[in-house]
Amino acid sequence: MPGKIPCEIGAIYADNEAEEQSAVSGDNVRIRLRGIKDDMVQSGFVLSDTRYPSRCTRAFTAQLVILDAPNIITAGYKAVLHVHMAVEEVVVTTLLHKLNKQNQKSRMPPPFVKKNERCIVRIEAKKPVCVERFKDFMQLGRFTLRDEGKTIAIGKVEKLIDTSAVAN
């Protein structure tokens, strides 16, 4: 999780309030944690094995499909990132490439992208966000960009940029 605070799972509770021994991906469960205060855990935090910690970053490169942009999207476009349970304000800082139907990258960075176009962009968040590359871990590599209550784009993380700059 972004705080990188080690903790231990004390108990797992299923929907019927019965205590369970384990849970698998997709199960809706509640957990009780030891070694951390309740007010230190927020929506969007990710629990991971201490041997293989989830990576946090403020900047990443992503492939976007523009679904419903009000106008055009240029560098500096602000939106709200929704990834797993995390919600964070982000800025599309750079448009790197436009993708054609054959998935080929443009040679020059595009000045803008519009509805129904695909592109590769650099996104920066105000706070660290737990994401992974889509090809490494699909569940933490998918996201949506929303603005004014509408889904503007869907995307997948291609590259994490400078995860070491995030404070431990």
Side-chain angles (χ1 to χ4, degrees):
M1 61 178 70
K4 297 194 179 192
I5 301 167
C7 59
E8 186 177 314
I9 296 176
I12 302 171
Y13 299 100
D15 288 336
N16 61 2
E17 302 297 321
E19 192 169 326
E20 300 286 333
Q21 291 298 314
S22 65
V24 295
S25 179
D27 287 353
N28 282 329
V29 296
R30 289 185 311 114
I31 58 173
R32 186 178 69 228
L33 298 175
R34 282 190 230 135
I36 190 169
K37 295 178 183 173
D38 288 344
D39 61 346
M40 296 174 80
V41 179
Q42 298 174 2
S43 179
F45 279 15
V46 175
L47 289 174
S48 61
D49 191 330
T50 54
R51 294 172 294 180
Y52 312 103
S54 177
R55 291 183 278 179
C56 296
T57 186
R58 287 190 177 95
F60 58 91
T61 302
Q63 180 178 327
L64 289 181
V65 177
I66 310 301
L67 299 176
D68 189 20
N71 290 311
I72 59 174
I73 295 178
T74 61
Y77 183 80
K78 294 182 181 179
V80 178
L81 173 80
H82 290 257
V83 58
H84 50 89
M85 290 296 294
V87 177
E88 188 62 46
E89 290 182 30
V90 296
V91 176
V92 176
T93 56
T94 310
L95 300 176
L96 300 172
H97 301 283
K98 198 182 278 192
L99 298 172
N100 64 17
K101 294 190 187 294
Q102 290 79 31
N103 218 22
Q104 296 170 332
K105 296 177 182 179
S106 62
R107 292 185 183 166
M108 300 285 291
F112 63 89
V113 289
K114 54 189 180 195
K115 187 175 179 178
N116 297 325
E117 291 186 335
R118 295 181 314 136
C119 58
I120 297 177
V121 299
R122 179 180 169 140
I123 296 175
E124 292 186 11
K126 291 184 178 183
K127 296 183 198 170
V129 181
C130 285
V131 291
E132 294 285 345
R133 292 185 319 167
F134 180 79
K135 69 179 185 179
D136 295 338
F137 193 48
M138 291 189 305
Q139 292 84 347
L140 290 177
R142 290 188 190 111
F143 64 91
T144 60
L145 289 181
R146 295 180 53 89
D147 189 20
E148 297 177 4
K150 289 179 160 180
T151 300
I152 302 301
I154 57 173
K156 57 185 181 180
V157 178
E158 290 195 338
K159 180 181 175 186
L160 302 177
I161 301 170
D162 198 18
T163 57
S164 62
V166 177
N168 289 335

